[in-house]
């Protein structure tokens, strides 16, 4: 019986904490996968900051630790850390720019404010600087850096990120945090108590439906330009396939974001495989 190859720390970390991107990374060229796992592990490290601290100041200290770490990597000083060490290899090889990673850190300061975005534009900016920016970096790691490809990757990352906001409603609700646009909540008469108490009201479903339809439009937009994304960068956009599957589950659940059918939905790995082999997302 052949032993299953042992995953690196970063690969296993992503598998446990960001299964969607882990699965999509498996369709990248074998020589590029470890770099993707390293990038996604770094993303996980900074994105979980708010969940790890009880005080905002501690969150800022943690993010500053990562800023200092990136600065030291550029100086040739490597901190002993399971993610830092492989990350330093990718940065020093020129495959990742530390400034791009710093931008990802800066975007996560929004999480520490514990304030809902004022409107869809503010939410879109947050998603663009996190999920969208991450997809662009993934594309560059895959060896594609032309402007059209980066644009398509950003569209795909933003579409996936908006669906992620819906998928995280229960998680954020438990933590008493809101990422839904404040003005749209007011429009539908949805209060923060409706989200924090997981009330399955018609108003909550109407708000969720509006955001879901916007996300579906974003997926269509990303797919419209897929010809500009070379096949070797497909893995960076494949999360769109999973996002589309989650929206199907949400629609089937009557746009109830708190339903088990939506909240416990597993990534559509078979559909992902078919799309990948067809070179589509």
């Amino acid at each position: 019986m052949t032993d299953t190859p042992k995953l690196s720390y970063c690969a296993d970390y992503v598998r446990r904490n960001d299964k969607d991107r882990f699965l999509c990374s498996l369709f990248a060229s074998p020589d590029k996968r470890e770099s993707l796992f390293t990038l996604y592990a770094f993303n996980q490290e900074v994105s979980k900051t708010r969940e790890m601290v009880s005080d905002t100041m501690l969150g800022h200290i943690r993010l500053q630790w990562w800023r200092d770490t990136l600065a030291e990597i550029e100086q040739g000083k490597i901190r002993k850390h399971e993610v830092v060490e492989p990350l330093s290899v990718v940065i020093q090889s020129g495959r990742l720019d530390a400034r791009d990673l710093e931008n990802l850190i800066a975007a996560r300061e929004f999480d520490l404010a514990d304030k809902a975005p004022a409107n869809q534009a503010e939410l879109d900016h947050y998603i663009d600087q996190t999920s969208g920016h991450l997809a662009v970096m993934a594309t560059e790691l895959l060896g594609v850096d032309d402007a059209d490809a980066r644009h398509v990757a950003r569209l795909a990352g933003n579409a996936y990120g908006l669906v992620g906001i819906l998928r995280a409603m229960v998680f954020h609700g438990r933590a008493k945090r809101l990422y839904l646009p404040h003005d749209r909540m007011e429009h539908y008469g949805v209060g923060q108590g409706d989200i924090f108490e997981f009330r399955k009201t018609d108003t909550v479903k109407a708000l969720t439906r509006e955001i879901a339809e916007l996300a579906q439009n974003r997926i269509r937009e990303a797919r419209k330009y897929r010809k500009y994304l070379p096949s070797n960068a497909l893995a960076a956009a494949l999360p769109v396939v999973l996002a589309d599957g989650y929206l199907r589950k949400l629609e089937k659940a009557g746009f109830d974001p708190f339903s088990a059918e939506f909240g416990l939905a597993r990534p559509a790995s078979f559909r992902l495989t078919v799309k990948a082999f067809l070179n589509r997302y």
Side-chain angles (χ1 to χ4, degrees):
M1 182 176 180
T2 304
D3 291 335
T4 302
K6 184 178 180 180
L7 294 175
S8 67
Y9 176 87
C10 286
D12 187 56
Y13 185 40
V14 176
R15 180 187 63 81
R16 289 182 285 109
N17 296 284
D18 190 353
K19 189 170 184 178
D20 284 1
R21 290 191 178 96
F22 174 80
L23 290 174
C24 293
S25 297
L26 298 179
F27 295 97
S29 173
D31 64 318
K32 305 290 186 182
R33 288 175 197 160
E34 201 57 46
S35 294
L36 281 182
F37 292 143
T38 300
L39 171 63
Y40 293 150
F42 168 80
N43 177 65
Q44 189 64 32
E45 280 287 322
V46 296
S47 67
K48 71 179 184 181
T49 295
R50 183 62 189 88
E51 284 73 58
M52 293 187 66
V53 299
S54 57
D55 181 82
T56 298
M57 182 56 68
L58 294 176
H60 285 293
I61 291 172
R62 177 179 170 80
L63 293 181
Q64 186 59 46
W65 186 92
W66 277 104
R67 286 192 181 93
D68 294 342
T69 296
L70 292 177
E72 289 180 0
I73 289 174
E74 291 195 295
Q75 297 167 7
K77 302 175 184 176
I78 314 302
R79 300 187 181 190
K80 190 170 180 57
H81 183 280
E82 294 92 341
V83 175
V84 172
E85 291 171 299
L87 184 66
S88 69
V89 174
V90 182
I91 292 174
Q92 292 177 337
S93 69
R95 285 172 287 163
L96 273 182
D97 190 324
R99 287 169 295 184
D100 286 332
L101 297 171
E102 288 169 4
N103 290 339
L104 204 58
I105 294 171
R108 286 298 172 179
E109 291 186 344
F110 180 85
D111 299 331
L112 302 176
D114 285 340
K115 183 179 70 173
N119 47 47
Q120 186 64 45
E122 189 172 315
L123 175 60
D124 286 343
H125 178 74
Y126 167 76
I127 292 171
D128 181 66
Q129 295 301 301
T130 51
S131 184
H133 184 53
L134 184 66
V136 172
M137 285 192 287
T139 300
E140 293 172 349
L141 274 181
L142 291 168
V144 178
D145 63 358
D146 68 272
D148 287 339
R150 289 197 300 270
H151 178 64
V152 176
R154 190 175 291 277
L155 290 175
N158 287 346
Y160 178 76
L162 186 54
V163 175
I165 293 296
L166 294 174
R167 292 180 63 210
M169 280 177 66
V170 170
F171 176 78
H172 290 148
R174 288 197 186 107
K176 309 304 180 190
R177 293 160 57 199
L178 280 173
Y179 283 80
L180 304 177
H182 181 70
D183 63 340
R184 303 315 295 159
M185 289 179 65
E186 283 194 332
H187 174 80
Y188 284 100
V190 175
Q192 68 174 22
D194 295 321
I195 307 301
F196 294 167
E197 300 299 325
F198 310 140
R199 295 170 186 156
K200 300 172 180 285
T201 65
D202 289 340
T203 54
V204 168
K205 293 175 183 177
L207 171 61
T208 302
R209 179 170 189 155
E210 177 182 297
I211 298 174
E213 289 176 348
L214 178 59
Q216 191 64 67
N217 288 335
R218 300 269 170 90
I219 290 175
R220 293 191 190 100
E221 184 76 3
R223 286 174 168 167
K224 189 163 65 173
Y225 297 102
R226 60 187 164 201
K227 67 180 181 180
Y228 296 107
L229 190 71
S231 59
N232 57 312
L234 180 67
L238 278 176
V240 163
V241 176
L242 303 181
D244 192 26
Y246 295 131
L247 289 180
R248 293 169 190 264
K249 292 287 187 181
L250 180 59
E251 182 177 11
K252 190 174 180 181
F255 296 98
D256 173 12
F258 310 128
S259 68
E261 184 171 10
F262 175 58
L264 300 178
R266 297 190 177 195
S269 54
F270 177 75
R271 190 161 180 262
L272 180 69
T273 302
V274 171
K275 288 286 187 179
F277 277 109
L278 292 174
N279 196 31
R280 299 171 72 85
Y281 62 82

